[in-house]
Amino acid sequence: MKSVIAEDLVKTYRNGAVRALDHLSLDVEEGTVLSVLGPNGAGKTTCVRILATLLRPDSGRAMVGGIDVIKHPEKVREVIGLSGQYAAVDEILTGWDNLVMFGQLYHLGKKASVARAEELLERFSLTESAKRPIKTYSGGMRRRLDLAASLIVKPKVLFLDEPTTGLDPRGRQEMWSVIEELVKGGVTLLLTTQYLEEADQLADEIAVIDHGKVIARGTSDVLKKQVGGERLEIVVETQHIAKTVEVVSTVSGHKAIVDEGLRMISAPVSTGATALIETLRSLDIAGIHPLDVSLKRPSLDDVFLSLTGHAAEEKKEEVETKGRRKKAKK
């Protein structure tokens, strides 16, 4: 059963001049994690805002938990949780106060709100800091509290929009553990991210979007296979670089790439271990003894660059839009 369905979503700005979503379609199977991967400005946040009833599409259809997002937004809000890119908690209040306040906003009642707040504070390892103002929290603690707030009503579907933005490696690992625990508990999750290792770690499937449309979808392994086979990398002494390039190019059938600084020669290979053994045999005959040898599978970085042709960077129009907003505020 599909917990989230989006069909042909279109969203434009500036009288149609900027197309944030361009007939975007995706779905999420119940109890699984779909990671939406893309650069800044690709349409990830716009997609989440529409599914979370915060934004209306120009056209298209969206269903969450079997409920039409456009026709019955109030019913959708009863079954979802949302954690945006930036913590939406009140810095002046304590962690405990924030969660109790969210509970009451959801009409849980004072007693039920307190009970749920204390349950979530313990679950997210925030009990000791519960009575401290949020402004004294670390970035990781704020993100955990923000995620806790999105779980007040025990949602069936959870939208996380770049949940680990700004966190250090330790904080990111802690957040991943929390997310994995939620999924084990049966929550359906749509996760947007720019971190390729995050998608690799958490997602059952990955949808790569660029310029407002899905350009590839599949498991991590399936997407990696689209780039090709493995990559052979060999480090040798400087005087052996030329001969090693010749050997690697012959074995792989591709022109080898040389990193002069690292003294590393690399090339894609389709036969994996067989190519590695053949290369080492040829180098041994030539009297060359590598300093290091490795056979690497494609990473999601390779997949992303192969599919989009560029690194994760903000679109020009998004930057211009932000600039206009700042000027308007002034």
Side-chain angles (χ1 to χ4, degrees):
M1 179 179 174
K2 306 293 185 183
S3 284
V4 178
I5 299 172
E7 294 179 349
D8 286 325
L9 292 180
V10 173
K11 183 63 182 177
T12 61
Y13 297 99
R14 292 169 57 188
N15 295 320
V18 177
R19 189 171 285 257
L21 296 183
D22 187 7
H23 298 282
L24 181 142
S25 296
L26 53 78
D27 56 69
V28 189
E29 195 74 27
E30 184 178 356
T32 67
V33 180
L34 174 69
S35 177
V36 179
L37 182 66
N40 285 334
K44 303 188 302 296
T45 297
T46 300
C47 176
V48 168
R49 287 175 63 82
I50 288 174
L51 293 172
T53 76
L54 298 177
L55 195 63
R56 289 181 65 89
D58 298 337
S59 63
R61 170 175 171 267
M63 304 280 288
V64 176
I67 307 167
D68 191 298
V69 168
I70 300 170
K71 294 180 180 178
H72 305 290
E74 69 289 343
K75 292 183 179 179
V76 171
R77 292 171 196 142
E78 294 175 1
V79 299
I80 67 170
L82 170 65
S83 180
Q85 294 182 25
Y86 306 100
V89 290
D90 190 319
E91 291 195 347
I92 298 176
L93 299 178
T94 67
W96 187 90
D97 288 332
N98 267 280
L99 293 185
V100 171
M101 176 183 69
F102 277 108
Q104 292 181 306
L105 288 173
Y106 278 109
H107 308 292
L108 294 185
K110 182 62 180 292
K111 185 176 180 180
S113 296
V114 169
R116 185 62 174 153
E118 292 178 348
E119 177 187 345
L120 289 169
L121 287 165
E122 182 176 356
R123 184 177 187 181
F124 287 87
S125 302
L126 292 169
T127 302
E128 292 185 4
S129 54
K131 295 305 178 73
R132 283 168 42 193
I134 300 303
K135 61 185 177 183
T136 67
Y137 282 23
S138 66
M141 292 168 68
R142 291 186 189 208
R143 295 302 290 164
R144 293 207 305 276
L145 185 69
D146 191 52
L147 183 53
S150 71
L151 299 174
I152 288 287
V153 293
K154 299 182 180 180
K156 296 178 181 178
V157 180
L158 182 60
F159 298 109
L160 300 183
D161 190 14
E162 300 191 19
T164 60
T165 296
L167 296 186
D168 58 24
R170 180 179 178 182
R172 192 171 301 152
Q173 288 287 344
E174 290 176 348
M175 185 62 76
W176 288 356
S177 296
V178 169
I179 292 170
E180 287 171 342
E181 181 186 341
L182 290 172
V183 176
K184 287 179 182 177
V187 175
T188 300
L189 176 61
L190 188 149
L191 165 79
T192 75
T193 184
Q194 291 183 67
Y195 297 119
L196 300 153
E197 70 274 20
E198 187 161 271
D200 214 357
Q201 171 83 15
L202 299 173
D204 295 295
E205 279 198 293
I206 298 168
V208 182
I209 71 172
D210 197 30
H211 294 89
K213 63 179 68 177
V214 176
I215 59 174
R217 176 166 179 167
T219 64
S220 177
D221 286 340
V222 167
L223 292 178
K224 288 174 182 176
K225 286 179 182 177
Q226 292 187 24
V227 179
E230 297 161 304
R231 190 168 193 83
L232 178 63
E233 296 181 349
I234 298 180
V235 178
V236 296
E237 297 287 359
T238 303
Q239 65 269 26
H240 299 312
I241 289 178
K243 180 61 178 177
T244 303
V245 167
E246 180 185 330
V247 169
V248 172
S249 297
T250 300
V251 173
S252 68
H254 297 274
K255 183 178 180 180
I257 297 173
V258 181
D259 186 320
E260 298 285 355
L262 297 176
R263 296 173 297 174
M264 183 170 69
I265 299 89
S266 63
V269 292
S270 58
T271 55
T274 301
L276 173 61
I277 293 170
E278 186 178 346
T279 300
L280 291 176
R281 185 181 293 118
S282 298
L283 290 176
D284 186 54
I285 293 172
I288 299 173
H289 303 291
L291 301 175
D292 190 28
V293 179
S294 62
L295 193 60
K296 295 185 175 180
R297 296 181 63 205
S299 68
L300 277 175
D301 294 86
D302 299 323
V303 173
F304 185 79
L305 290 173
S306 174
L307 291 170
T308 66
H310 60 81
E313 58 186 9
E314 288 187 312
K315 288 183 181 179
K316 182 179 179 182
E317 60 262 30
E318 183 180 48
V319 175
E320 291 176 345
T321 301
K322 288 180 180 178
R324 283 194 300 275
R325 286 175 181 168
K326 289 181 180 178
K327 289 180 180 178
K329 289 180 179 179
K330 291 180 181 179

